[in-house]
Amino acid sequence: MKNTPIFLIISIFILSLLSCGDKSNATRPQTGHLFVFADDSCYCINYNDQVKFQTDATFSTLFYNDIATMKNKSGEWLFITQKGDTLLPYTFSKATVFSEGYAWVIKDKDMPGAINTKGDMLISLRDVEEVR
């Protein structure tokens, strides 16, 4: 039991060393934009608190590869760019974020499928014949 205080002090010291470093970008996404929900609206702001655009979204992800996934007040999911432009001309009943150029979506209660940033359906679970 004599070593317990020394172990505790050394542990605290090591943890403090690990947590030191440049914290300037530690909590910021690399896109430079954040979403703020207020007054029944969604605002995309930059780190200078300047509003870049406003939407009617009720939920939003952060931007990944310059594309964010948003849910509008009608419950439909869509993709937008950092300029606030809609990426695709249609919405989905469910959608994930784009990762490596692909997102999983469900359109009008259809089978889930993977799309690219152009909206091309690359694979649908309807096409699956066997699961191993």
Side-chain angles (χ1 to χ4, degrees), residues 40-71:
D40 208 26
S41 292
C42 175
Y43 301 91
C44 181
I45 62 170
N46 63 16
Y47 292 125
N48 296 322
D49 294 332
Q50 296 170 324
V51 175
K52 302 308 278 181
F53 60 88
Q54 177 183 353
T55 72
D56 70 341
T58 59
F59 177 84
S60 175
T61 66
L62 295 175
F63 285 98
Y64 295 94
N65 299 317
D66 301 328
I67 302 169
T69 307
M70 303 189 103
K71 184 176 184 180

Side-chain angles (χ1 to χ4, degrees), residues 73-91:
K73 290 181 180 178
S74 301
E76 301 167 317
W77 291 85
L78 60 138
F79 300 100
I80 61 163
T81 66
Q82 287 192 25
K83 294 180 181 178
D85 299 326
T86 302
L87 182 68
L88 303 172
Y90 39 86
T91 59

Side-chain angles (χ1 to χ4, degrees), residues 90 92 102-107 110-127:
Y90 39 86
F92 303 93
Y102 306 101
W104 284 95
V105 297
I106 299 175
K107 186 172 173 87
D110 197 6
M111 296 294 289
I115 62 169
N116 61 16
T117 56
K118 295 178 182 176
D120 300 326
M121 184 66 70
L122 303 175
I123 186 170
S124 171
L125 290 186
R126 174 173 292 146
D127 301 332

